[in-house]
Amino acid sequence: MGNHSSKSKPGTGGDVSSHDKTQSWFYSDIVKDHFFNPRNFLDREPEEGEFNAVGKVGSPACGDELRVWLLVDSSSEQIKSFRWKTFGCGSAIAATSMISEMVLENGGMTLSEARTIKPQDVMERLGGLPARKFHCSVLCDKALRDAVNDYYRRTGQFDRIAVEATRIIDPVSRVTDRDIEEAVLEGAQTLELVQQKTKVGIGNPSVLPAVEELIKFYREKYFGGGPQE
Amino acid sequence: MQVRNVYMDHAAATPIDRKVVEVMLPFLNESYGNPSSFHSVGKVASDAILNARSSIAQILGARADEVIFTSGGTESDNLAILGYARKNKDFGKHIITTKAEHEAVLESCAELEREGFEVTYLDVDEYGMVTADQVEGALRDDTILASVIYANNEIGTVNPIREIGAKIQRARKGSAKNFPVLHIDACQAASALELNIQKLNVDMLTLNGSKIYGPKGAGLLYVRRGIKLQPLQFGGAQEKRVRPGTENVAGIVGLASALQIADDGRVQYVQKTTELRDKLINGILSSISKTRLNGHKTERLPNNVNISFMDIEGEALLLYLDSKGVYVSTGSACTSQSLDPSHVILALGMPYEVAHGSIRFSLGRDTTEEDVDYVLETLPPLVEKLRKISPVKVDEKYY
C-alpha cells in the first residue's frame, strides 16, 4: 500500500489527499496513513486466553461493525494489548486504528483513563474528519467502553460497571440520547438530518418513533419548538 | 506490477470526445450569439441549434420539433414526470414507476405524492428487472403516466421497454384516450441500445451528454407530438416555452455530435465492451470467493459490472482501489449523501450488508484488455486485506 500518491492522477485524482477539513468528503493525511496501514488489527480469530475483555458495537446493516479485544493487567489495570476488527468505511477503520495507538501509548492506559476517551479526542488525533463522517464513523470509543465493562463483569467487579450515563436508544448502532441531543444542538432538527449524523435507526427502523420523540424534546428544549421542517 | 490509471467509472462521467470538443469550440469563442437575436450573429447560433435538433431527431426516429433541450438527465426526468403529471392531472392522478429508478425519477414521484398524486412503485426481480405484465397489471383508469428506466445506472439491467411500450399503447387504444403515456430514462443506454422511439414504443425519452462522451450540463427530452407539459421554469419562448431560457448552444451542438458518434460506433462499442465486461465479471467471480454479480448476466449494459464483495464495506475498497489507480464507484452508504446504501441493490432483495459492499466498474470506449487484467491482478489482495480487518461474515445464502 506504500505507493499511495494520488496528487497527479487524472480522473478522480486527489480523492484521498484533500486537506480541506471543513466540508470536504475526503480525508486528512493521518487518516489516510491509518487507513492504508492500520495498526494493531487482529488478522485472525483470537486464541483462547489471549485476551480478557471483548467489546462490540454496530452491525453490518448500519454500515459499521467494530470489535475490540483487550488484555488488561490485573494489578495495574493497564491495557497491555488492544486488538480490533472493523467493517466500515475509511474513517471508521482509521479511527479504530488511532484509538488503539492512543490506548497503548506510554505503557497502556488504565481502564478508567480509557473510559474517558471521547470521539472528539480521536478525531483531533486524526487531524480532523469531514463533518458528515464524524458521528457515523467514530464508534470506536463506544466499543472500547463496552470492553472495559466486559472486563469488570468478568472479574466480578459489578459495582464498577459504568452504566453509560446516557441511555442507549438504538441497540444496533448504540446511539444514545446524548448523541441525539448533540446532533440537535449541532443543527440537525429533523429525523433525516439526525440520521445523517448518527446513523440511528438505519437498519433498525423500530426505534424511529422513540428517536422522533427525542428530537422533538431537544428541539423544544434548545430552540423553543416551532415548525423546523 | 506497474501502477496504471484505470478509469472504470464511465457510468458516472465520460471524457468529452475530441471531435465533440472541436465542434463545440466555435460556439464558446467567435460564434457567441444569442439564438433569439434577429441578426446575423444570432442566426449562426440558431442555425447550429436547428442542425443539432434535426440530427438528433433523425437518430431517435423522431421529428425535430419533438426534441426539447435541457440541462441534463435530471432536468429531463423532472420535466417529463412533473411537467406531464401537473399538466394532465384532470385526467387522472396515478403514476407507475419501479423501485430501481434513478433518484431523478424517484424524487420527482415523491414530490408528486406530496402534491396529491398516487404512485405505484413496482417491485423488480432478483436481477432488477420489471416485466411488461407487471406494468399492465398496475394500470388503472386514472393512470396517466408510467416511467421506467431503460438500463439501470447502477447494475446495468436492461428493461423490456418495447414490450412495456406496446402494453401502454394497447391500453390507450382500448380506452380511446391520450393516456397513459410511457417515459423512459435512456441516459445509460444511449451508447449501447436501440434509441429509435418508434421501435421502442415510447412517448418521452431522457438523454444526456455526459454519459456519451459529450458535455455535462446538456441533455434532452424527446416528447411525442401532441403531449402537453407544464413548464418547470418561465421566461422566454425558447423550446416552445416548455423550457425557456437562452440555449446552451455549445452544449447542444456537443450533445448532437456526441450522439452521432455514439450511434455510428454502436455495434463496435457493444461488441468490444461486452467481451471485456464478461472477462472482468468471470475473472472476479472465479478469483475472489464470496462475491456476487448484481444485475442480469446477459440482459445488461455491455459496460456494466456490479459486484458485491461480502464482509467488506464499499467505500474502503473504493479508496484502496483508488490508491492503485483504479477508479470505481460504490453503492455503499458512505459515499452517498443519504445514509442508506443503494436502493437498487436493496430492491433486488439483498440485505444492507450486501448493498454496503457493492462496487460498480463501468467500462468505456478506451478501456483495454490490459486495464481489465490490471484490475483483476490488483483486486484480490485488497479484498483479502479488508476481509482480514473485518469482523463480519455475511450469510452464505447471499453469494
Side-chain angles (χ1 to χ4, degrees):
Chain A
M1 305 270 80
N3 63 354
H4 181 77
S5 60
S6 57
K7 286 180 189 67
S8 61
K9 287 172 190 164
T12 53
D15 241 5
V16 289
S17 61
S18 167
H19 293 262
D20 180 356
K21 295 185 183 73
T22 51
Q23 270 299 319
S24 165
W25 162 250
F26 305 112
Y27 301 128
S28 74
D29 288 346
I30 307 172
V31 174
K32 211 166 72 182
D33 180 32
H34 276 265
F35 172 58
F36 286 113
N37 308 292
R39 334 283 205 257
N40 303 313
F41 74 91
L42 193 67
D43 59 356
R44 51 178 170 79
E45 289 308 308
E47 284 164 29
E48 188 74 29
E50 190 180 357
F51 302 100
N52 52 18
V54 189
K56 183 184 169 211
V57 65
S59 83
C62 72
D64 291 283
E65 178 172 327
L66 278 70
R67 279 184 216 173
V68 307
W69 290 270
L70 306 181
L71 180 64
V72 182
D73 180 88
S74 59
S75 56
S76 67
E77 288 203 340
Q78 276 180 305
I79 297 169
K80 290 298 173 189
S81 176
F82 180 125
R83 306 294 291 273
W84 56 271
K85 280 179 182 284
T86 290
F87 167 92
C89 62
S91 52
I93 289 173
T96 324
S97 173
M98 177 54 87
I99 204 172
S100 75
E101 278 204 335
M102 291 165 69
V103 165
L104 294 176
E105 274 164 357
N106 308 318
M109 282 186 178
T110 63
L111 292 177
S112 348
E113 285 167 347
R115 197 147 72 181
T116 63
I117 299 178
K118 292 193 292 290
Q120 285 84 351
D121 304 330
V122 182
M123 181 167 80
E124 213 166 283
R125 285 284 297 265
L126 285 171
L129 281 174
R132 54 178 291 271
K133 297 290 265 180
F134 172 50
H135 283 276
C136 67
S137 61
V138 185
L139 298 168
C140 48
D141 60 303
K142 295 188 176 78
L144 175 58
R145 283 196 296 278
D146 192 42
V148 171
N149 279 343
D150 184 53
Y151 178 80
Y152 289 139
R153 197 175 300 121
R154 290 185 190 205
T155 51
Q157 308 181 67
F158 296 105
D159 56 323
R160 298 185 68 186
I161 295 177
V163 181
E164 302 250 343
T166 50
R167 187 164 54 99
I168 289 179
I169 303 301
D170 177 2
V172 176
S173 62
R174 298 228 169 197
V175 169
T176 63
D177 52 357
R178 175 77 194 126
D179 294 328
I180 292 169
E181 185 177 8
E182 255 185 60
V184 172
L185 272 170
E186 286 172 15
Q189 303 208 353
T190 63
L191 176 62
E192 212 179 1
L193 292 171
V194 168
Q195 282 192 299
Q196 275 175 22
K197 280 191 180 288
T198 65
K199 284 200 166 184
V200 67
I202 301 286
N204 186 20
S206 63
V207 302
L208 292 182
V211 176
E212 287 191 290
E213 275 300 298
L214 275 172
I215 296 170
K216 192 162 163 259
F217 172 78
Y218 290 124
R219 213 167 61 192
E220 279 165 12
K221 180 174 169 186
Y222 294 112
F223 302 97
Q228 299 285 347
E229 290 201 47
Chain B
M1 184 174 29
Q2 209 183 341
V3 175
R4 293 172 74 91
N5 277 314
V6 179
Y7 180 80
M8 287 209 180
D9 203 12
H10 293 86
T14 48
I16 305 194
D17 190 299
R18 269 203 198 97
K19 285 176 257 164
V20 175
V21 175
E22 272 166 37
V23 301
M24 287 175 71
L25 276 177
F27 298 95
L28 298 168
N29 294 315
E30 63 268 26
S31 305
Y32 50 79
N34 187 324
S36 301
S37 299
F38 208 68
H39 46 55
S40 320
V41 183
K43 182 71 164 57
V44 173
S46 81
D47 282 351
I49 292 178
L50 202 72
N51 290 336
R53 204 188 299 278
S54 82
S55 124
I56 290 169
Q58 196 159 18
I59 291 168
L60 299 180
R63 301 181 181 101
D65 66 355
E66 294 175 313
V67 174
I68 292 172
F69 291 116
T70 68
S71 66
T74 294
E75 191 194 334
S76 293
D77 284 347
N78 276 241
L79 181 59
I81 293 167
L82 298 173
Y84 183 83
R86 287 171 182 164
K87 187 76 180 179
N88 295 282
K89 62 179 188 292
D90 292 342
F91 301 113
K93 297 185 93 172
H94 180 238
I95 291 155
I96 299 169
T97 188
T98 83
K99 289 183 179 169
E101 293 302 307
H102 190 276
E103 286 81 355
V105 167
L106 290 177
E107 291 298 320
S108 295
C109 287
E111 177 60 24
L112 287 176
E113 285 182 291
R114 289 187 284 271
E115 294 175 16
F117 287 82
E118 207 181 318
V119 182
T120 299
Y121 298 91
L122 296 173
D123 285 323
V124 294
D125 68 12
E126 59 184 309
Y127 304 113
M129 204 182 291
V130 68
T131 65
D133 287 343
Q134 273 179 285
V135 176
E136 186 181 37
L139 287 173
R140 310 190 320 206
D141 286 344
D142 62 342
T143 307
I144 52 171
L145 170 69
S147 180
V148 177
I149 198 161
Y150 192 176
N152 187 276
N153 52 310
E154 289 188 37
I155 57 174
T157 297
V158 179
N159 275 311
I161 296 300
R162 197 182 299 221
E163 288 77 19
I164 294 170
K167 298 276 191 195
I168 299 275
Q169 285 183 348
R170 194 174 311 157
R172 259 197 320 253
K173 272 186 195 133
S175 62
K177 291 174 186 154
N178 293 326
F179 58 90
V181 300
L182 176 63
H183 164 254
I184 66 169
D185 180 330
C187 291
Q188 297 288 342
S191 288
L193 307 178
E194 175 67 66
L195 285 185
N196 185 299
I197 47 95
Q198 287 159 35
K199 290 183 183 158
L200 286 170
N201 304 320
V202 300
D203 305 296
M204 292 190 278
L205 176 146
T206 291
L207 274 183
N208 69 354
S210 64
K211 318 293 188 197
I212 55 169
Y213 296 78
K216 295 180 183 66
L220 68 89
L221 182 66
Y222 156 77
V223 183
R224 186 169 50 77
R225 202 182 265 185
I227 288 180
K228 298 271 189 294
L229 302 179
Q230 182 173 308
L232 302 178
Q233 61 192 56
F234 301 89
Q238 296 93 342
E239 303 303 292
K240 298 187 287 177
R241 291 193 181 275
V242 172
R243 206 283 184 177
T246 299
E247 297 88 340
N248 172 9
V249 183
I252 288 168
V253 167
L255 174 63
S257 164
L259 191 61
Q260 187 64 58
I261 293 169
D263 198 51
D264 293 343
R266 191 177 307 279
V267 175
Q268 195 196 349
Y269 168 81
V270 169
Q271 190 187 356
K272 185 188 154 202
T273 46
T274 302
E275 273 173 33
L276 293 175
R277 174 196 75 186
D278 290 344
K279 178 173 176 158
L280 185 57
I281 291 175
N282 295 333
I284 293 173
L285 295 182
S286 66
S287 69
I288 304 177
S289 65
K290 303 176 82 175
T291 43
R292 173 187 197 281
L293 177 69
N294 296 311
H296 201 280
K297 201 161 165 37
T298 51
E299 295 301 307
R300 78 184 296 137
L301 287 176
N303 71 329
N304 177 292
V305 176
N306 188 308
I307 307 256
S308 281
F309 297 87
M310 306 304 159
D311 308 343
I312 59 182
E313 207 282 328
E315 188 214 280
L317 184 54
L318 178 150
L319 293 174
Y320 268 31
L321 283 168
D322 181 279
S323 75
K324 298 290 187 188
V326 178
Y327 309 115
V328 299
S329 79
T330 170
S332 150
C334 292
T335 55
S336 67
Q337 287 300 316
S338 80
L339 228 75
D340 280 318
S342 158
H343 69 278
V344 174
I345 311 279
L346 294 178
L348 306 179
M350 290 294 123
Y352 278 70
E353 49 267 45
V354 174
H356 281 299
S358 66
I359 295 279
R360 178 186 69 187
F361 306 81
S362 45
L363 318 186
R365 282 179 200 161
D366 299 326
T367 304
T368 62
E369 188 154 13
E370 287 74 32
D371 291 336
V372 171
D373 288 336
Y374 178 73
V375 172
L376 288 174
E377 248 180 284
T378 309
L379 200 48
L382 300 181
V383 172
E384 194 188 349
K385 178 165 178 185
L386 286 169
R387 279 184 178 160
K388 274 188 177 171
I389 298 178
S390 169
V392 170
K393 297 275 174 284
V394 171
D395 196 311
E396 279 179 35
K397 69 181 174 204
Y398 297 118
Y399 55 87

